[in-house]
Amino acid sequence: MVFAIADLHFDSTGEKPMGIFGSNWEDHEAQIKKNWKEVIKEDSLILLPGDISWALRHEDAYVDLMKIEKLPGRKIMIKGNHDYWWSSLKKINDFNFKTIDFIQNNCFVYKDIGIFGTRGWGNTELGEEQKESNEHNIKVFKRELNRLRLSLDSLKEEVETKIVMLHYPPFNPDSTPNEFAEIMKEYNVDICVYGHLHGEGHKYIREGNIDGIEYYCVASDFIQFKPKKII
């Protein structure tokens, strides 16, 4: 089985309480761990589309990542906009985790399923950081589009199902699919999971079959902090 949950926002320092997003976030880490253990088996695959840890340096993220390492299942991660600890792929692979793999310009094959992904980038209505500079946003947006292509192009074998993980939703402010969705259509992607949207941001969520791709928002608070079964 394949599950997904984004925005774990683990915080070993206790300096980033998530209660500002609502009372449902109180003790959210314990909620996630409890729900995880109830539904995830050792042979399950769980997709984690970004915002894993509030740590600022990769060595500080080790504590939070080790909590995930000890949970059941095989885990695949991409970077979120708050994963400042995510430096180079080599550095984080040097942690030598046994149950965690990281996607950055690469892919992961699980049985007959190809897993791809990149952080993505948002629109001005969907994130404060996008309001700084249109030129900067365009540059980052194009870079992330290229990273999605690199990930999809890295597949070297035939698979039955293609799943893309994005952190940001692949939609414009008017809810129409954006360029990330166009690339996924081009590569015949079957499923896309994304997160990022919390609280009031839930009004921007789109799910279901859109142009042949099944979309799931798996932001942890949107799915009540319980990993969502995708396959």
Side-chain angles (χ1 to χ4, degrees):
M1 292 185 183
V2 180
F3 295 82
I5 181 170
D7 306 281
L8 301 184
H9 287 293
F10 281 3
D11 177 24
S12 60
T13 68
E15 296 176 356
K16 290 283 189 176
M18 293 294 290
I20 59 170
F21 288 107
S23 58
N24 57 323
W25 280 93
E26 296 296 335
D27 206 18
H28 77 283
E29 184 177 317
Q31 291 186 63
I32 290 172
K33 289 178 181 176
K34 177 179 179 293
N35 292 331
W36 185 309
K37 291 174 182 177
E38 288 177 354
V39 299
I40 303 297
K41 308 302 181 186
E42 288 297 342
D43 61 349
S44 299
L45 181 71
I46 182 157
L47 311 179
L48 303 171
D51 279 6
I52 310 298
S53 167
W54 279 112
L56 298 179
R57 300 179 302 174
H58 93 283
E59 58 266 30
D60 296 329
Y62 182 82
V63 176
D64 288 328
L65 294 172
M66 184 52 71
K67 297 173 190 173
I68 298 167
E69 167 85 345
K70 292 178 179 178
L71 290 169
R74 185 67 175 268
K75 305 94 181 180
I76 314 295
M77 294 182 182
I78 61 166
K79 181 180 183 179
N81 61 306
H82 291 298
D83 288 315
Y84 301 113
W85 54 271
W86 187 304
S87 49
S88 70
L89 194 59
K90 180 185 184 305
K91 273 193 172 184
I92 53 179
N93 280 333
D94 283 346
F95 283 137
N96 291 317
F97 291 122
K98 304 300 183 188
T99 70
I100 302 175
D101 288 275
F102 304 93
I103 289 183
Q104 182 175 306
N105 303 338
N106 58 335
C107 68
F108 182 86
V109 175
Y110 172 80
K111 298 181 179 179
D112 59 354
I113 302 169
I115 312 294
F116 315 87
T118 191
R119 180 186 61 185
W121 198 241
N123 300 288
T124 53
E125 288 80 358
L126 301 184
E128 290 299 319
E129 60 268 56
Q130 281 75 44
K131 297 178 182 178
E132 298 172 1
S133 161
N134 284 337
E135 185 177 342
H136 169 73
N137 294 326
I138 292 169
K139 180 179 179 181
V140 176
F141 194 89
K142 288 181 176 179
R143 183 187 70 198
E144 287 296 313
L145 289 173
N146 185 55
R147 284 181 170 174
L148 177 56
R149 283 191 181 276
L150 288 171
S151 178
L152 288 159
D153 284 337
S154 69
L155 182 67
K156 303 303 180 187
E157 59 190 276
E158 291 293 324
V159 293
E160 277 193 24
T161 304
K162 294 181 179 180
I163 302 177
V164 163
M165 290 192 289
L166 297 171
H167 182 64
Y168 284 92
F171 303 108
N172 296 309
D174 63 357
S175 294
T176 57
N178 66 16
E179 289 93 327
F180 288 96
E182 291 175 10
I183 290 175
M184 288 189 282
K185 279 182 63 179
E186 178 185 339
Y187 283 81
N188 297 313
V189 169
D190 300 286
I191 297 170
C192 174
V193 296
Y194 67 93
H196 184 66
L197 300 175
H198 306 308
E200 287 296 313
H202 288 171
K203 65 186 177 183
Y204 293 108
I205 289 171
R206 285 200 69 185
E207 293 191 297
N209 192 298
I210 304 169
D211 296 331
I213 300 172
E214 288 289 338
Y215 289 91
Y216 297 91
C217 179
V218 293
S220 59
D221 57 328
F222 183 66
I223 56 175
Q224 289 76 52
F225 306 101
K226 182 176 183 178
K228 184 177 183 67
K229 187 192 295 183
I230 303 301
I231 296 178

